[in-house]
Structures are given as C-alpha cells and as structure tokens.
Amino acid sequence: MTIIHDLSANENAYAPLPSVMGVVAGAGERSHRYPDRFSKELTAELAERLAVPAEHLVLGVGSVGLIQQFVRATAGPGEQVAYGWPSFEAYPHLTGTAGAEAVHVPLRAHTFDLEALAGAVTERTKLVFVCNPNNPTGTVVHRAELERFLDAVPERVTVVLDEAYREFVRDAEVPDGLDFYRERPNVAVLRTFSKAYGLAGLRIGYAVAQEKLAAAVRAQGTPFGVNAPAQAAAVASLAAERELLERVELLVKERGRLVAGLRAGGWEVPETEANFLYLPIGSRAEEFGAACAAVGVGVRVFPREGVRVTVGTPEATDLVLSAAAGLQG
Ligand SMILES: *Cc1c(COP(=O)(O)O)cnc(C)c1O
C-alpha cells in the first residue's frame, strides 16, 4: 500500500498557513536577487522576542546546518564530541565529516544519562550535545539535573542544548535552555522552524550563544546559505505564532491519545514531550513497521532496536492504533 501518512521524519502534519505561503511566493518572485546575507529582519525579530542581543544569534540552514557549524568551530582530528545514544543521527554523521571522534554514552531508561555524560568528558572533549527532548526517544532531562551537569562540565567544553522540539514540551520541569546560556559562555541553545512551525522544507534554524562562541559558529556558515523564502517564511511564522501554536496544541493532544491507546494495548511507551513517540520493541521493530505500512502509514524503523512514530492528524493516530491492535503489545 502507498504511504498516505508519512510519520517517519517528525515533520509537522499541517501545511504552512496561507499567510506564510503568500510571503514564500512573494520571495520566490525575487529569486534573481541574493538573499539578505545577514538576515537582518529575522534576526531583529528573534532578538526582541528572546530578549537577547542580535550578536548572540546565528541563523543556519536548518539546525542541522548549525550542528555542522558547531562541530567545525570546536572539534577536529584527535578531538572528541560526546552525546547520549541513541540520539539525533546528525551528531555522529557531522562529527565524522569534521574528522573528530564521536563518543556515545548509552541512555538510561531511554533518557540522557547526564552523570555518565559528564563522566565521559576527557581532555580531548570539545563539544557535548544534550538533546532535550531527545530524538528518537522523546524523553527529557529536568532543570536541576541539567544545572548539575553544566556545573560539572569544564568551561572549555562547549555544550549545545538542542531544543528542536521545545514547543511540544508540557512538563514544567524542563528548563528553557536560554536561562543557562545567559550565565555560561560555553552553553548554546539550538532551535528550528522545521518542527512546530512546519517549515522543514525551507531549511532554517537558529542558535543562541554568547558573542565569542556565536562569532566562531557564524564564521563556519556558508555565505548567503539561508535563502530569502526561508527568511521571509520564518518572519511570517513568528507573526502567525498564535495560530501555529494552536496546531501544536492539537498535536500535543493527539500525542496523548496515541500514547494512551498504545499503552492500553500493552505496548511500553517511554514518556514523550516531543511530536513523536518511541517503541523500544527490539526485534519486533520491522514487524511493527510493516503493519503500519500495510495501513498506509510510514514510521521510522530502527532495525532490532525500536520504532519512532511521529504524531500526525487524528486519522493517522487511528491508523497507527489499528495497526498496533493487529499485533500483540
Ligand atoms: C529535527 C531535528 C532538528 C532540526 O533539524 P533542521 O535541520 O532544523 O530541520 C534538530 N535537532 C534534532 C534533535 C531534530 O530531531
């Protein structure tokens, strides 16, 4: 059966708002011109909303582009980049292309083990990623443990708090990473327009860090890399934030229904604060993926480890639950 609901890449189930599509089309008409290299309008808008100086913002070609810039700015051959594992696949990939060594610290109960991660820091560690909520497990770390972690990590090590799913978090104990960056010159926060704002196809995200780190990361960017339709769409999305966050609220509700339905069917689902959930079903991952495909739903299968399912429309939730019901939880 063809895939009707693609729940494999944590994309937003909803297309951009008409107001956002309008500015993208308008920017397209000016495609013979280079974009604003410094993304001045978007930078000013973000600076005001986040209450940070414009010099502390770095825009990138998605937050994946910024992950690459952070790695290149901090680590090279003979040096290490550490993070929990499993986590976002861009971390090992871009660590490898920079010639640095990836250090994988196993999750504990599907969650970043910050004590173990701090313990894995060596003389050669240059960069650490904390993915909060974590992709692919959806789990979070809380304010107090993150603060202890940051106290334990030497200031010469850069710590990136990847908050790609921040808008989906409803657990009040999950910190706003910006509270940490303000007091710590080695801490950066990474955010994206790809998930909650539904602009994955346009490739735009941003980092917030104090001036010296921000400048080093900015220097690694491709000049004119952030294109004009992406800049315009991001500005329009911030202007339409209320409407977009209503859609996020719908997805959060749907997440609750999907998690509850799976658990009622006997499936173990770790607590998730993102727009996806994870089933740690090991050898049954492929079977679950095939059952979803049979009802027209694409999910992300990690062979022999588990399945990640993005939360989509109510119809998609019903299909996943029906596929799961045909198997034994
Ligand atoms: C999806 C995702 C991103 C965002 O990537 P973009 O390049 O901004 O689309 C960043 N970090 C994590 C952990 C993600 O899952």
Side-chain angles (χ1 to χ4, degrees):
M1 185 163 175
T2 49
I3 297 301
I4 297 160
H5 297 274
D6 186 350
L7 307 182
S8 70
N10 298 345
E11 295 152 342
N12 200 308
Y14 300 102
L17 297 170
S19 62
V20 176
M21 288 199 206
V23 303
V24 171
E29 283 170 18
R30 292 183 296 279
S31 293
H32 57 306
R33 303 292 184 190
Y34 283 102
D36 172 4
R37 181 172 173 187
F38 303 104
S39 307
K40 286 186 288 294
E41 192 184 357
L42 177 57
T43 301
E45 184 62 35
L46 285 171
E48 189 182 320
R49 279 169 182 266
L50 304 173
V52 303
E55 305 76 55
H56 290 195
L57 280 161
V58 189
L59 295 186
V61 180
S63 41
V64 167
L66 289 160
I67 289 166
Q68 181 172 47
Q69 289 173 236
F70 270 99
V71 174
R72 288 193 183 165
T74 56
E79 296 172 333
Q80 295 175 327
V81 179
Y83 40 84
W85 196 256
S87 189
F88 191 35
E89 291 157 306
Y91 305 153
H93 174 65
L94 297 170
T95 297
T97 58
E101 181 189 333
V103 175
H104 288 187
V105 177
L107 303 187
R108 197 158 48 93
H110 310 295
T111 308
F112 258 60
D113 182 347
L114 292 181
E115 251 178 72
L117 189 54
V121 169
T122 73
E123 285 297 312
R124 293 193 289 133
T125 308
K126 297 294 170 181
L127 178 62
V128 174
F129 287 105
V130 177
C131 193
N132 198 30
N134 184 45
N135 178 5
T137 54
T139 52
V140 293
V141 293
H142 287 161
R143 189 172 289 108
E145 54 181 322
L146 188 54
E147 185 148 29
R148 272 198 303 278
F149 170 77
L150 294 173
D151 287 342
V153 172
E155 202 177 294
R156 60 178 171 75
V157 178
T158 300
V159 179
V160 171
L161 307 175
D162 187 341
E163 298 185 336
Y165 301 97
R166 167 171 177 74
E167 295 84 356
F168 299 96
V169 173
R170 294 295 176 270
D171 177 345
E173 292 301 307
V174 175
D176 177 343
L178 291 177
D179 293 341
F180 294 113
Y181 117 91
R182 290 180 209 281
E183 295 145 24
R184 300 171 193 259
N186 64 322
V187 173
V189 177
L190 206 52
R191 304 232 175 119
T192 180
F193 286 97
S194 292
K195 308 288 163 52
Y197 292 88
L199 299 181
L202 286 172
R203 316 303 306 123
I204 185 161
Y206 60 91
V208 186
Q210 289 189 26
E211 205 159 338
K212 190 158 166 255
L213 178 56
V217 170
R218 195 179 294 116
Q220 295 295 329
T222 302
F224 302 103
V226 181
N227 68 70
Q231 293 180 34
V235 171
S237 295
L238 291 173
E241 194 168 48
R242 207 177 43 80
E243 248 177 301
L244 288 168
L245 294 182
E246 279 169 18
R247 292 170 157 194
V248 168
E249 200 52 48
L250 290 178
L251 291 168
V252 167
K253 285 212 179 77
E254 215 48 41
R255 172 179 77 197
R257 197 164 75 84
L258 185 54
V259 169
L262 288 167
R263 285 180 180 160
W267 302 89
E268 180 203 347
V269 186
E271 210 56 58
T272 173
E273 293 290 327
N275 71 337
F276 57 85
L277 61 82
Y278 187 69
L279 295 167
I281 52 178
S283 61
R284 300 186 65 201
E286 277 108 329
E287 181 194 1
F288 193 94
C292 288
V295 295
V297 173
V299 297
R300 178 64 200 274
V301 174
F302 298 88
R304 295 172 306 286
E305 288 176 24
V307 175
R308 189 190 66 199
V309 183
T310 306
V311 177
T313 59
E315 189 193 357
T317 300
D318 292 339
L319 287 168
V320 173
L321 291 176
S322 73
L327 305 168
Q328 196 74 279

